[in-house]
Amino acid sequence: MRRPGLWLGLAAVCAWSLAPFLWQLLTSVKPAAELEALPPFLPGAITLVHYEAIFAGHPFARLLLNSFIVSALATLLALGFGSLAGFALAKLRPPGRAATLAAVVALSMLPPVATVSPLFLLASAAGLRDTLVGLVLVYAGFALPLAVWLMAQFFRGVPDALYIAARVDGCSAAGAFVKVMLPLAVPGLTATGLLVFVFCWNEFLYALTLTSSMAARTVPVGIALFPGLHEVPWGEIAAGSVIATLPPVALAIVFQRRVLAGLTAGALKG
Amino acid sequence: MAAIAFERVSKRFGATTVAAGLSLQIADGEFFVFLGPSGCGKSTLLHLVAGIELPDAGTIRIGGADMRGVPPQRRDVAMVFQSYALYPHLDVFGNLAFPLRNRGLAGAAVRPEVERTAAALGLGGLLDSKPAQLSGGQRQRVALGRALIRRPVAFLMDEPLSNLDATLRLEIREEIKRVHQAHGITTVYVTHDQEEAMALADRIAVLREGRIAQCDAPQALYAQPADTFVARFVGTPPMNLLPGAMLEAHAALGGRDPAAVTAGLRPQDLEARDGGDGLAARVVLLEPAGPLTWVVAELDGVRLKARLASGARLAPGAEARLAFAAGAAHLFDAETGLRLEA
Amino acid sequence: MRPGAARLEPWVLMSPALALLAAVTALPMLYVVWLSLQQRALFRAAQFTGFDHYFRLAGDGRFWNALGNTLYFALVSVAMELALGLAIALLLARAGRARALIYGAVLVPWAIPTVVSARMWEWMYQPELGVLSFLAGRPVNWLGDAALALHAAIAMDVWKSTPFVALLLLAGLQAIPRELVHAAALDGAGAWTTFRRVTLPLLAPVILVAAVFRSIDALRVFDAIYVLTGGGPANATETLSIYAYRVLFQMLDFGYGSALAVVVLAITGMAALAYARLLRGGIE
Ligand SMILES: Nc1ncnc2c1ncn2[C@@H]1O[C@H](COP(=O)(O)OP(=O)(O)OP(=O)(O)O)[C@@H](O)[C@H]1O
Ligand SMILES: [Mg+2]
């Protein structure tokens, strides 16, 4: 392919990917008056009033904290349970492992709306509605199929001989898992953890239906239900959007190689 | 140190039979080799001893004790692998110390043990290296050291030489034999390389389809193969097998019906001359092999390999005379392939 | 340790995961079917009604509208995502040294929370103040016009999801042995022929996988459209998931809402099965 055309194409791809977010970024630092008309495109002066407003006027900090707690705990839970199960499937080879893996993959395709009504009733009955614990359990459960599948793939890549060596060198199955398999699976754990964290951070439907107050409400719900009395506060929404976007985007960019590995391993292997 | 026994052990994976009622006694301190073609289940036999796999039926004993229900970590065997299986996240010290620490040896007691073993294997300067920084030979020495360091009751070795190049292979082979002689630890060694098996073993069991085709000392295996499979498998180049009819009424048949016999002649025992008595065969090609030259010849569509007689002049296309001593021929039943005693 | 213990070991290690999966996904999946067979308003006693809700579906115009919207949305957005994704993947495969930078940019839409991307596009779609009307040169009521709104949602989904498709196809492209492409060139094939006869057939399984993943996602779409339009105007963008959500949590009819949810479940399940069979049978 001819070079200039290639670079033009790549530039267009970058622009297309970044433009909406950059526009939101500009919006978030424009003085309110300049949001009333277009043009001008660029802000006459950069202001942080919208950012101040969401933290002062709305409990945005609480939303962030909730999101962090729920996503981090759910990720830890999914990683812990998922790596144990992935290890057992990949290295202990129980009879019925193919069927188990198939069931796990099937569960990962479950549409969230299909289980939102039962989960609402079950969470109410268990007293877990509008609690962080409830959300953590639901998120971990929903991320688990992906975690099990990815970890099984990564553990399959670790030679059997290493597991066998650990066993004859004096480890129980669990000991071999902790002392040998887990240290070797760190790249896999990172990739899986990143995907699960981003998945939980971005989740909306369960957060919307299983929370009803600031006690457990997460950032996406806060942004979707952004309060506005008469008109929509676009500047503040933009500011909230930028903040909500930073953690997953920063993770995706910093750990780009791991995320790509996880995305493609999840979809292509098997 | 301990004896190891298989008692009517059976194991299968789906349609693949790895062991079919296998029974075997390996003596305390013996160097025992399982020899068999690729994929015949050699590794699985070691896994059965180690407790990684469980037999479908039958009993495995180590030191007389029934191993049923004893997990690998309590069988006190050590394993050496073709792929080395060094823990990539640990340095050489960590690899050697791993089995000691798992047995609860205190930190201070570990270092002298590790250093002693490393020195014995010429690894003294490498304790801080990661496996990825080592050469193949060094890696296999570390693997040997990791097995040796805790004086297990038995070594299980799964083709430990097959990833090494030819020179290193001989070097590590000697190392393994030396370790065995020095410590007298029962060693079960699997390989598909008959030369390796002959060089190392006290006894060899040749495996075929989950059964033991023959179990004997290397010399006996070579001198009296129990069937045509073993005859072809042990010895290089492989033994020539030809229908008894080709030998007609040769004295070697001992008066048996030629049609009921398969005759086996080792290429070493078959001399290709450029005249005189013997089977007349057409020379196909010559293979110089240093001290001697092999002659590949064809006789009634059967390819035979023979040793070129000193001074004989043969070229491809020429007619050769293949001569052998009557006692050199091995006779097998043409139907079953089993050895016929003279 | 008893002999059976070693055989139990894997199941012991898997039990935490299996228990959580059972509690949070498998059990609710059975429960939703049971709910759909009941007359059940929230906080009132349930009454078993058998398949009544499913018969009611047949005569429910709003259901058929939602089904049509869902299928149209899935079909158009997945087709566009595959086409665009393939083009982008072919570009990215030649990115050379700028690779890390460009991959980073492409990952941004993937990583942005769907809700945020819906808010971003809602702002861009504003008839008077939105940048897209400005670009169009006149105020366009993108989200208020029943003929436009679903397409506006599709455009947003294409923006958000194409990166995933592109990155997946890129991985597939990079797995194609270079020798094959070179051999085709030596055999005298031009760039287009090589692409048609070598690259595309080898990439077909990956394209199919991308299609599966995207279709299943698109058929269950909720947050993107719910936040962008709320299903309006006049239900023009109401998908099955949104309709189910509204029946469940706005009308508080858990029986009928669950029946709608079961339909979503069945449709995604069928898509998954159809593709699984294609994957097994069709390719190679
Ligand atoms: N865990 C397992 N599950 C299913 N089949 C297995 C398993 N382990 C081994 N097999 C099969 O059993 C047979 C014997 O395998 P094994 O590895 O013991 O052979 P081997 O003689 O060591 O082969 P090689 O020379 O290649 O190392 C093979 O056909 C293999 O595919
Ligand atoms: Mg093997």
Side-chain angles (χ1 to χ4, degrees):
Chain A
M1 183 178 273
R2 283 144 305 279
R3 291 269 119 182
L6 172 64
W7 288 114
L8 214 63
L10 288 172
V13 168
C14 290
W16 150 262
S17 301
L18 296 178
F21 179 66
L22 294 179
W23 184 242
Q24 195 77 342
L25 191 62
L26 278 183
T27 304
S28 74
V29 294
K30 268 188 188 176
E34 292 182 26
L35 295 174
E36 302 291 322
L38 200 70
F41 270 102
L42 297 177
I46 288 190
T47 170
L48 295 179
V49 288
H50 303 307
Y51 289 91
E52 285 160 18
I54 56 171
F55 283 104
H58 312 289
F60 201 73
R62 182 63 204 256
L63 295 177
L64 278 173
L65 185 68
N66 285 346
S67 266
F68 264 113
I69 294 174
V70 169
S71 305
L73 290 183
T75 303
L76 282 181
L77 209 58
L79 276 186
F81 289 7
S83 56
L84 269 175
F87 161 70
L89 285 167
K91 282 288 170 271
L92 306 186
R93 309 222 180 97
R97 64 182 174 278
T100 311
L101 264 179
V104 163
V105 171
L107 284 182
S108 75
M109 295 173 176
L110 200 66
V113 77
T115 52
V116 73
S117 51
L119 280 175
F120 179 85
L121 295 176
L122 290 172
S124 304
L128 291 175
R129 199 155 60 81
D130 206 22
T131 66
L132 293 176
V133 175
L135 269 193
V136 167
L137 289 177
V138 170
Y139 282 11
F142 266 79
L144 252 182
L146 178 70
V148 171
W149 172 251
L150 281 177
M151 290 317 295
Q153 298 294 352
F154 281 110
F155 281 125
R156 198 174 291 172
V158 176
D160 283 354
L162 282 174
Y163 167 69
I164 297 173
R167 291 302 306 271
V168 294
D169 280 346
C171 295
S172 62
F177 173 68
V178 173
K179 290 184 192 165
V180 174
M181 302 305 282
L182 266 191
L184 295 181
V186 167
L189 284 171
T190 318
T192 309
L194 285 167
L195 292 191
V196 170
F197 185 88
V198 171
F199 169 92
C200 294
W201 182 266
N202 296 355
E203 203 287 328
F204 176 60
L205 180 58
Y206 291 119
L208 178 67
T209 49
L210 297 181
T211 65
S212 51
S213 75
M214 276 301 153
R217 184 167 288 171
T218 60
V219 171
V221 181
I223 288 181
L225 305 181
F226 217 89
L229 280 181
H230 303 295
E231 51 198 44
V232 187
W234 288 111
E236 290 170 24
I237 291 179
S241 297
V242 169
I243 293 177
T245 300
L246 283 183
V249 166
L251 285 177
I253 289 176
V254 172
F255 294 102
Q256 195 191 94
R257 283 197 18 236
R258 296 270 160 265
V259 171
L260 290 175
L263 274 180
T264 47
L268 292 186
K269 284 185 195 160
Chain B
M1 283 170 283
I4 295 173
F6 289 75
E7 293 171 3
R8 293 181 303 281
V9 170
S10 294
K11 176 77 184 172
R12 52 190 306 161
F13 294 113
T16 323
T17 303
V18 174
L22 195 114
S23 291
L24 186 68
Q25 302 282 337
I26 299 171
D28 185 7
E30 186 171 10
F31 200 117
F32 191 91
V33 174
F34 281 114
L35 177 62
S38 233
C40 75
K42 304 181 297 295
S43 299
T44 307
L45 288 180
L46 293 188
H47 295 168
L48 288 167
V49 176
I52 302 295
E53 301 280 358
L54 301 176
D56 299 334
T59 307
I60 287 171
R61 292 180 190 280
I62 298 179
D66 187 343
M67 286 293 116
R68 187 178 320 237
V70 180
Q73 67 269 27
R74 291 209 267 110
R75 295 195 178 191
D76 199 16
V77 296
M79 232 171 141
V80 181
F81 300 84
Q82 168 181 351
S83 56
Y84 320 122
L86 300 181
Y87 307 118
H89 58 300
L90 302 176
D91 57 13
V92 170
F93 185 94
N95 269 279
L96 292 176
F98 190 82
L100 297 179
R101 291 188 171 139
N102 283 330
R103 310 182 94 212
L105 205 61
V110 169
R111 180 158 285 276
E113 283 287 318
V114 169
E115 279 170 354
R116 203 156 42 98
T117 305
L121 289 164
L123 297 167
L126 298 171
L127 287 178
D128 297 327
S129 312
K130 285 281 175 72
Q133 300 166 302
L134 304 178
S135 70
Q138 289 167 334
R139 288 182 204 178
Q140 200 53 289
R141 280 171 201 276
V142 177
L144 270 178
R146 189 178 65 188
L148 185 62
I149 196 162
R150 63 191 162 96
R151 300 294 148 76
V153 298
F155 281 138
L156 308 177
M157 303 202 181
D158 193 348
E159 311 202 28
L161 304 180
S162 50
N163 265 9
L164 302 174
D165 64 42
T167 345
L168 268 177
R169 188 175 303 186
L170 289 184
E171 194 184 313
I172 302 285
R173 189 166 93 186
E174 284 169 16
E175 193 74 40
I176 289 174
K177 193 144 189 174
R178 194 182 61 75
V179 164
H180 180 253
Q181 279 168 0
H183 303 283
I185 295 175
T186 313
T187 304
V188 185
Y189 186 109
V190 309
T191 178
H192 61 257
D193 181 338
Q194 54 91 24
E195 195 191 325
E196 207 172 291
M198 304 279 277
L200 287 167
D202 294 326
R203 273 193 309 156
I204 298 174
V206 181
L207 293 171
R208 186 191 187 186
E209 288 159 12
R211 297 176 191 280
I212 294 177
Q214 188 172 7
C215 177
D216 227 327
Q219 274 318 314
L221 220 57
Y222 185 81
Q224 272 133 13
D227 59 23
T228 49
F229 176 79
V230 178
R232 292 277 302 173
F233 204 75
V234 175
T236 38
M239 183 186 279
N240 299 304
L241 292 178
L242 53 170
M246 275 189 189
L247 301 185
E248 286 165 21
H250 196 283
L253 294 186
R256 287 187 172 82
D257 173 11
V261 171
T262 300
L265 286 164
R266 293 207 181 273
Q268 289 85 347
D269 297 334
L270 194 59
E271 199 171 63
R273 301 174 182 155
D274 52 10
D277 280 342
L279 305 169
R282 181 134 332 262
V283 175
V284 179
L285 50 87
L286 300 171
E287 275 179 358
L292 48 72
T293 298
W294 299 116
V295 177
V296 177
E298 201 174 272
L299 171 60
D300 291 345
V302 179
R303 288 234 163 154
L304 300 173
K305 193 169 252 191
R307 183 165 53 83
L308 183 67
S310 62
R313 300 173 149 278
L314 286 172
E319 189 182 85
R321 289 283 172 171
L322 306 179
F324 58 96
H330 302 257
L331 299 183
F332 304 97
D333 187 299
E335 285 283 315
T336 63
L338 290 179
R339 181 178 190 84
L340 299 169
E341 286 308 331
Chain C
M1 194 166 108
R2 286 168 298 105
R7 298 191 208 275
L8 270 178
E9 214 163 41
W11 298 103
V12 172
L13 296 181
M14 282 191 281
S15 58
L18 294 181
L20 187 58
L21 275 177
V24 181
T25 60
L27 183 75
M29 208 160 82
L30 298 178
Y31 193 15
V32 75
V33 176
W34 173 238
L35 282 175
S36 75
L37 304 178
Q38 299 178 1
Q39 189 64 47
R40 179 156 187 167
L42 193 57
F43 309 125
R44 269 207 244 123
Q47 181 190 349
F48 185 80
T49 53
F51 290 98
D52 281 5
H53 289 314
Y54 294 95
F55 295 127
R56 185 173 144 199
L57 280 176
D60 180 357
R62 193 167 161 193
F63 163 71
W64 292 109
N65 169 60
L67 181 63
N69 285 341
T70 306
L71 295 179
Y72 185 81
F73 174 86
L75 200 74
V76 177
S77 64
V78 172
M80 289 179 67
E81 283 156 21
L82 288 177
L84 253 176
L86 183 58
I88 294 178
L90 289 169
L91 271 175
L92 290 184
R94 296 173 171 76
R97 266 175 303 154
R99 178 173 298 149
L101 211 66
I102 296 169
Y103 290 5
V106 172
L107 273 173
V108 168
W110 170 81
I112 285 183
T114 315
V115 168
V116 168
S117 93
R119 283 300 212 175
M120 279 165 38
W121 283 77
E122 187 187 1
W123 171 230
M124 295 196 298
Y125 278 138
Q126 286 302 300
E128 304 287 343
L129 302 173
V131 65
L132 290 173
S133 286
F134 175 80
L135 293 177
R138 65 194 166 83
V140 181
N141 197 356
W142 304 97
L143 301 178
D145 181 334
L148 280 181
L150 193 54
H151 296 100
I154 289 174
M156 181 189 76
D157 191 67
V158 168
W159 175 78
K160 172 100 176 81
S161 305
T162 302
F164 171 76
V165 177
L167 293 171
L168 210 60
L169 296 183
L170 177 65
L173 277 177
Q174 286 168 341
I176 295 177
R178 296 207 147 262
E179 295 80 38
L180 283 179
V181 177
H182 291 172
L186 289 179
D187 289 342
W192 171 245
T193 316
T194 308
F195 177 72
R196 270 288 322 276
R197 303 262 169 238
V198 180
T199 311
L200 211 51
L202 287 171
L203 202 57
V206 185
I207 295 179
L208 213 51
V209 169
V212 178
F213 274 68
R214 285 306 312 142
S215 306
I216 287 168
D217 249 15
L219 287 171
R220 63 191 182 188
V221 63
F222 174 78
D223 28 1
I225 301 184
Y226 181 76
V227 175
L228 188 69
T229 65
N235 297 339
T237 58
E238 187 172 77
T239 62
L240 277 178
S241 285
I242 294 178
Y243 184 29
Y245 171 79
R246 285 175 151 181
V247 173
L248 286 169
F249 290 98
Q250 289 172 3
M251 307 177 194
L252 300 181
D253 182 346
F254 265 48
Y256 192 53
S258 294
L260 285 164
V262 169
V263 172
V264 180
L265 183 63
I267 290 176
T268 34
M270 272 172 352
L273 273 183
Y275 279 121
R277 289 193 57 178
L278 262 181
L279 271 181
R280 204 168 326 137
I283 308 296
E284 283 157 347

